Amino acid sequence: MKRKKHILIGAGTAALCALKQIRRLNREDEIKLVSMEDSLPYSPTALPYIISGKVGVSDTFLVSEGFFKKLKVEFLKNRKVERIYGENKEIVYDKGIREGYDSLLIATGSEPVVPDIPGLYEGEFLTIRGIKDAQALIEKVKEGNSAIILGAGLIGMHIAQCLSEKNMKVKVVESLPSILPAYFDKEASEIIRGIMEGKGIECLTGKKATRIEWKGGKVEVNLSEGGSVEGDLLVVAVGVKPRTEIVDGSGIKIENGGIAVDDRMRTSMDDVYAAGDVASAKAFFTGENGLNPILPNAAEQGRVAGSNMVGVDTVYEGWIPMNTFSYFGHTAISVGMPFSSEKDEVHVRKINGTDTYRKLIFREDRLMGVTFIDTEVNAGVFNYLIRKKVPVGEYKMSLLEFPRETSLYLMQQAEKKETISLEE
Amino acid sequence: METFFDTLKIEENICPPGCGVCREKCTQVQRSKGKNGSGIHEFHIPDLGVHMANTCNQCSEPVCLDACPSGSISKDEKDGIVRIDEKRCLGCGLCNLVCPYGGIDYRADEKKAFKCDLCDGSPECVNVCPVKGISLMKARSIVGYFHEDPLLKGSSLCVGCPAETTLRFVLRVMGKDTFLFGAPGCATNVINGQGIKCMINIPSHMSNMTTVPSTMTGVKRYYRRLGKDVKCVAFVGDGCATDVGFQPLSGAAERNENIIFMCYDNEGYMNTGIQRSSTTPYGGWTTTTPAMGRRKGKKMASKNVPLIMAAHEIPYVATAVIGYPEDFLNKLLKAMAVKDGMSYIHILSPCILGWGYSIPASLEVIKAAVETNYFPLWEYERGKYRITYEVKNPKPITEYTKLLKKFAHLEKEEIDELQEIVNRRFNRIKRLTEAF
């Protein structure tokens, strides 16, 4: 059999998982990983921890140098792929060099969204996506100084926490009415906000930045409904968008701002796959394509793409929204649908005198989503119950009372059933 | 890369209510290593009568590893243990979020993930569990002996037939320089191929039922003359080994030919329509020993062939089942090491169709046969008898017969008789182990 050449563009979780999967299934094929950065692969998820000083940069590399040698993978650093020519099955690097492929994976990830705010570009603001961004921020951290963060999403709040722990005064500006609006409902978000504000982080929600003024090393952000905040540095963390410029002019279909893929992670071009933050892939609940730029999905999509690239037909089940946020010794977890609709049954439990909050969303006898604050659970088990559509009918109240125990019990029962389901 | 490693197995719902001894022990062990946490957790839901425990499965392809943003989770290639590098752990909780089996704990207060490290190979929780509900499944010690699987995909045995698993296991352990012999029977299609399809990747030969040992004798002697050490292995059913082909088997044993003869005993002629054989047990239903009216299956006890083979005083005789692979492995290794005579291994291999049980229950049936002493695991090695797997609390024979439709018609009288046969035979082996 002819050896095939697989080129993987990007060096994040999706590309690495695809790479490992290809090697798992095929020991012969040629694999090439192209990174536009000059470091070993790392995950943007680790950046806030670099900023907080918990780990050094070299401690966050996903794999070591030896990894590529062992798996017989060529790792190209500092190279950018400019264009894809699908008809010739060729890519063009930044210096005009062409290279043919048998299968191609686009896993270029995402980049920060920079909103169009008057005055923003007149000064030096920061975004957090690469190691260099993190290092730039570290240099600007100074005890007693104040920082303004635009965006109260997971990255924004995480950076807020890091800077606050470095004894900076932090103000977060969010245009939506609550913090962490994508993953937590109003009530949960208020609990988290309470803790954050208790630690001195000011959360200005429901306020848009209308104008940014830079004067003498200070930055002033004018807000809608009047008023303004002043700080020593400005971090923009309003969200991320797929990094898709690589497919410009190639004819590969774009939707929702990402590269459209089918349930085998194939793009509209033959033998070109996409996975991770860059892909607009099938959602588990709706079956429709959409973006969900989180690490666990990138890993799963990478594995599916890798299998299909070597001809092992594998179907992607779809992504489920999920995230976990730890802040000042507390944890907030959201798995599945964070918000309920009219046809859902919702159970909420709060425990007086604590910040504990549990919300379970059911549709008939299926679990659809959970939110836990300061509740000790094995979160992945809920992901299992949702994904496997495990009937939980008579256990709803038990799941609310004893979430960890009941979920483990249901998971073990379902696993047992799965192993003997051959019978029917 | 091998993907079989040791893992902890926890029996389902047998924990004593309120017990947390495993967790306490683990915490203590971890503390001695300077760590804070436990890799195993009990969980009790008294209202539902649930008393269980949970730990990491040490997955062969761990999703936690892929989801770790700092690359601090690794799977050891030697011992297969999935470990967290504490120094690099960010404490982000993503591993806890993706593990579907609840194998990783996340501690917000310490900003650390924590999981079972299998005590680097000898888990202490196994020793302290008051109900012996935790055991270490040692796939690694077996897989270490595995060679490439010579049995190709798509064998034509019935779905779920343990004979296939058994043959695969045997051949993987045997490795290179193995010549396989078969006779008409269930495994014929695997050994001989079907139509133009070949299903095995090593030399093999089909003989008549009555000529397997004599053919093996010739092939073995031929290779010996060439100066090659080739393992001549027979894998035949009880019809061939204990009925039709018993005389030449006995003859080869008497001549002490250097062959390895294995009988997969499914207690009947399953391939030709489930007729009785001499190993069909007392009371067992077959199409020729029906259960209708006053007729209640086979009237006489089965022929105790392994014991008869031991009476030939050949170097090695054993009974084995695929349900106890470590025991089986040791016996195969001993049989392979014999270079001066014959080895005989008698394998109990349930038949889904002929015995009447559901496909996934093969191992359950095999284990019940051993745990009731219906099929004791013993060996005879150069004059010495030894029970290789001692059943601590033998279960009544009904625990075995209730699983099988072929015993469904038995009433108390026949059950008692069967129990009597089982006891008598086990005691005989027991006495032999003491006598010799």
Side-chain angles (χ1 to χ4, degrees):
Chain A
M1 206 160 49
K2 192 181 159 275
R3 273 178 86 211
K4 286 188 172 173
K5 187 197 257 184
H6 308 282
I7 297 183
L8 318 178
I9 307 172
T13 297
L16 283 179
C17 287
L19 180 162
K20 285 192 271 187
Q21 190 68 6
I22 293 172
R23 258 303 164 260
R24 225 170 250 158
L25 299 166
N26 185 308
R27 293 178 193 197
E28 303 302 320
D29 285 359
E30 196 180 326
I31 308 177
K32 201 171 225 182
L33 194 74
V34 187
S35 171
M36 62 174 207
E37 304 206 39
D38 59 2
S39 66
L40 282 167
Y42 66 90
S43 167
T45 310
L47 295 175
Y49 300 90
I50 295 176
I51 295 165
S52 73
K54 182 160 188 186
V55 287
V57 170
S58 60
D59 282 336
T60 63
F61 291 138
L62 296 173
V63 293
S64 62
E65 230 20 283
F67 169 84
F68 295 107
K69 208 171 168 190
K70 209 177 112 214
L71 293 191
K72 294 194 208 95
V73 173
E74 196 180 336
F75 178 46
L76 286 183
K77 286 185 208 170
N78 248 331
R79 294 299 290 275
K80 216 171 164 198
V81 177
E82 301 266 311
R83 258 197 95 159
I84 299 164
Y85 288 102
E87 311 88 70
N88 309 343
K89 287 196 162 188
E90 268 184 350
I91 52 168
V92 182
Y93 291 108
D94 39 4
K95 285 168 192 147
I97 303 161
R98 287 170 177 250
E99 183 167 19
Y101 61 81
D102 290 302
S103 78
L104 183 72
L105 176 74
I106 306 172
T108 45
S110 54
E111 57 195 1
V113 172
V114 179
D116 190 17
I117 304 169
L120 180 60
Y121 281 98
E122 282 160 29
E124 264 184 60
F125 65 93
L126 293 152
T127 57
I128 303 297
R129 202 57 192 167
I131 284 181
K132 282 174 191 148
D133 301 329
Q135 284 164 336
L137 180 57
I138 292 169
E139 273 177 31
K140 293 203 171 191
V141 170
K142 204 173 158 197
E143 223 170 280
N145 273 8
S146 62
I148 301 171
I149 295 167
L150 294 190
L154 279 164
I155 304 175
M157 293 315 288
H158 208 147
I159 303 281
Q161 187 192 346
C162 293
L163 297 181
S164 162
E165 280 170 346
K166 298 249 170 199
N167 294 323
M168 287 185 81
K169 289 186 211 104
V170 184
K171 296 177 185 113
V172 184
V173 180
E174 168 64 49
S175 60
L176 291 168
S178 59
I179 62 165
L180 301 166
Y183 286 102
F184 297 100
D185 63 17
K186 184 96 184 130
E187 206 162 346
S189 151
E190 282 305 313
I191 296 171
I192 302 169
R193 183 188 183 136
I195 307 268
M196 299 298 261
E197 297 203 311
K199 295 282 175 181
I201 297 171
E202 208 176 315
C203 299
L204 305 151
T205 53
K207 293 188 167 63
K208 263 198 161 86
T210 51
R211 197 182 159 73
I212 288 163
E213 282 170 42
W214 305 83
K215 22 188 169 173
K218 294 255 176 194
V219 57
E220 188 182 337
V221 178
N222 293 318
L223 303 174
S224 57
E225 299 163 30
S228 69
V229 282
E230 201 187 60
D232 296 292
L233 65 93
L234 177 68
V235 179
V236 176
V238 296
V240 292
K241 63 177 186 214
R243 195 179 270 143
T244 57
E245 72 261 23
I246 186 171
V247 302
D248 290 347
S250 65
I252 291 174
K253 194 180 153 202
I254 297 276
E255 66 180 15
N256 308 317
I259 298 173
V261 291
D262 65 4
D263 60 1
R264 282 155 175 95
M265 309 316 291
R266 294 178 293 215
T267 67
S268 61
M269 187 178 276
D270 286 349
D271 299 312
V272 179
Y273 297 76
D277 289 7
V278 77
S280 169
K282 187 173 88 175
F284 178 79
F285 289 118
T286 61
E288 283 165 22
N289 275 13
L291 303 174
N292 191 233
I294 60 167
L295 196 150
N297 290 337
E300 178 68 22
Q301 292 177 7
R303 284 192 290 266
V304 173
S307 298
N308 286 309
M309 285 168 83
V310 287
V312 178
D313 190 32
T314 309
V315 175
Y316 180 56
E317 286 178 354
W319 51 261
I320 290 177
M322 55 174 137
N323 231 313
T324 168
F325 179 58
S326 20
Y327 50 103
F328 304 109
H330 301 263
T331 323
I333 293 166
S334 164
V335 182
M337 298 198 321
F339 311 108
S340 52
S341 68
E342 279 168 14
K343 45 188 166 178
D344 297 333
E345 183 184 340
V346 183
H347 293 286
V348 175
R349 166 63 42 93
K350 280 180 275 189
I351 295 173
N352 282 344
T354 68
D355 294 311
T356 302
Y357 175 79
R358 301 172 193 158
K359 184 178 78 169
L360 304 172
I361 303 174
F362 301 98
R363 190 168 294 171
E364 283 158 12
D365 68 345
R366 267 178 62 193
L367 187 63
M368 302 298 276
V370 296
T371 302
F372 291 117
I373 294 180
D374 289 356
T375 303
E376 209 176 293
V377 289
N378 294 102
V381 179
F382 289 92
N383 189 7
Y384 177 99
L385 298 180
I386 294 170
R387 194 172 277 277
K388 300 263 177 172
K389 304 178 182 175
V390 176
V392 298
E394 51 190 302
Y395 298 102
K396 286 176 185 171
M397 289 329 282
S398 185
L399 272 169
L400 196 64
E401 283 308 321
F402 311 102
R404 189 183 77 87
E405 290 84 353
T406 313
S407 63
L408 283 171
Y409 171 68
L410 288 169
M411 178 272 293
Q412 290 199 355
Q413 293 302 306
E415 272 297 288
K416 199 174 132 200
K417 220 172 189 175
E418 182 132 302
T419 51
I420 57 168
S421 64
L422 278 165
E423 204 164 351
E424 272 80 46
Chain B
M1 192 170 78
E2 282 300 349
T3 47
F4 294 91
F5 294 107
D6 295 358
T7 180
L8 280 175
K9 179 180 169 237
I10 302 174
E11 298 301 327
E12 191 196 336
N13 214 5
I14 64 163
C15 300
C19 179
V21 171
C22 52
R23 174 184 44 78
E24 285 158 17
K25 181 72 190 172
C26 186
T27 313
Q28 188 191 333
V29 170
Q30 295 298 339
R31 198 173 295 137
S32 70
K33 295 181 200 166
K35 295 177 182 177
N36 186 11
S38 171
I40 188 165
H41 289 274
E42 79 281 12
F43 59 97
H44 301 282
I45 319 171
D47 296 353
L48 300 173
V50 171
H51 302 281
M52 296 162 83
N54 198 62
T55 185
C56 169
N57 293 342
Q58 317 290 348
C59 297
S60 51
E61 292 172 10
V63 287
C64 55
L65 192 155
D66 285 344
C68 176
S70 66
S72 55
I73 303 182
S74 60
K75 183 168 177 74
D76 196 309
E77 281 183 18
K78 289 206 183 78
D79 57 21
I81 298 173
V82 179
R83 292 189 176 85
I84 301 176
D85 180 350
E86 279 211 11
K87 285 187 205 94
R88 296 177 58 185
C89 173
L90 303 174
C92 67
L94 276 174
C95 47
N96 172 285
L97 187 64
V98 297
C99 173
Y101 307 115
I104 296 193
D105 278 341
Y106 174 65
R107 306 170 61 97
D109 46 345
E110 294 193 18
K111 288 194 179 177
K112 284 277 179 221
F114 199 91
K115 71 178 289 302
C116 165
D117 60 2
L118 221 59
C119 294
D120 297 320
S122 44
E124 305 233 9
C125 50
V126 173
N127 308 325
V128 296
C129 177
V131 289
K132 300 270 169 261
I134 312 172
S135 49
L136 182 67
M137 307 306 284
K138 287 187 184 163
R140 178 160 52 108
S141 56
I142 295 165
V143 172
Y145 289 95
F146 272 11
H147 299 87
E148 201 177 339
D149 189 354
L151 213 57
L152 307 180
K153 285 177 185 169
S155 87
S156 51
L157 285 160
C158 302
V159 174
C161 177
E164 184 196 335
T165 325
T166 308
L167 181 58
R168 215 177 267 280
F169 180 79
V170 166
L171 293 179
R172 287 203 80 164
V173 175
M174 290 282 168
K176 277 198 284 190
D177 298 327
T178 301
F179 199 131
L180 185 65
F181 293 82
C186 293
T188 306
N189 292 335
V190 182
I191 297 168
N192 200 28
Q194 193 178 31
I196 56 163
K197 274 199 208 154
C198 171
M199 288 155 196
I200 197 158
N201 211 0
I202 55 170
S204 62
H205 184 266
M206 284 294 297
S207 310
N208 289 328
M209 274 183 157
T210 47
T211 57
V212 179
S214 9
T215 314
M216 291 172 80
T217 302
V219 173
K220 178 72 193 185
R221 289 184 181 190
Y222 166 74
Y223 276 120
R224 196 160 53 201
R225 194 160 290 182
L226 289 182
K228 285 188 181 169
D229 183 17
V230 171
K231 293 178 280 285
C232 287
V233 180
F235 193 75
V236 298
D238 48 305
C240 170
T242 72
D243 281 359
V244 188
F246 184 67
Q247 185 280 324
L249 175 63
S250 177
E254 184 262 330
R255 296 195 304 278
N256 206 9
E257 300 290 345
N258 185 205
I259 57 176
I260 303 171
F261 201 96
M262 281 183 220
C263 167
Y264 64 96
D265 182 4
N266 48 28
E267 302 184 340
Y269 290 80
M270 300 315 184
N271 191 38
T272 51
I274 318 173
Q275 293 89 354
R276 90 193 268 291
S277 78
S278 57
T279 56
T280 304
Y282 171 82
W285 169 92
T286 65
T287 50
T288 49
T289 55
M292 280 186 296
R294 294 209 322 273
R295 304 164 80 177
K296 297 212 169 101
K298 195 178 166 190
K299 285 182 192 150
M300 48 297 276
S302 66
K303 194 195 276 184
N304 196 344
V305 178
L307 206 57
I308 300 170
M309 291 310 292
H312 286 76
E313 297 186 347
I314 54 177
Y316 191 69
V317 175
T319 61
V321 285
I322 193 66
Y324 296 79
E326 286 164 290
D327 179 74
F328 202 157
L329 174 80
N330 288 335
K331 288 170 176 171
L332 285 174
L333 295 177
K334 283 186 179 178
M336 284 158 70
V338 174
K339 299 292 176 194
D340 59 342
M342 184 164 162
S343 308
Y344 177 84
I345 301 182
H346 196 90
I347 302 154
L348 184 72
S349 178
C351 172
I352 295 160
L353 203 64
W355 296 18
Y357 63 89
S358 64
I359 289 171
S362 287
L363 282 178
E364 203 182 321
V365 171
I366 289 172
K367 294 208 165 183
V370 173
E371 299 292 335
T372 55
N373 277 338
Y374 173 84
F375 192 81
L377 298 176
W378 57 272
E379 68 180 7
Y380 165 85
E381 194 179 6
R382 299 187 193 274
K384 270 209 166 315
Y385 289 86
R386 194 170 74 88
I387 288 173
T388 56
Y389 177 82
E390 199 97 35
V391 182
K392 287 191 191 93
N393 299 308
K395 292 177 181 157
I397 192 65
T398 44
E399 291 296 304
Y400 173 61
T401 53
K402 74 175 185 191
L403 301 171
L404 305 170
K405 286 203 189 105
K406 77 169 175 179
F407 291 122
H409 55 277
L410 296 191
E411 285 168 33
K412 190 174 179 303
E413 203 178 314
E414 291 85 29
I415 291 282
D416 288 347
E417 175 65 21
L418 189 59
Q419 182 72 63
E420 171 58 30
I421 295 170
V422 166
N423 293 351
R424 194 171 66 223
R425 291 195 172 182
F426 180 74
N427 289 336
R428 179 175 300 147
I429 288 293
K430 188 86 188 150
R431 279 201 302 275
L432 282 168
T433 62
E434 286 152 8
F436 298 100

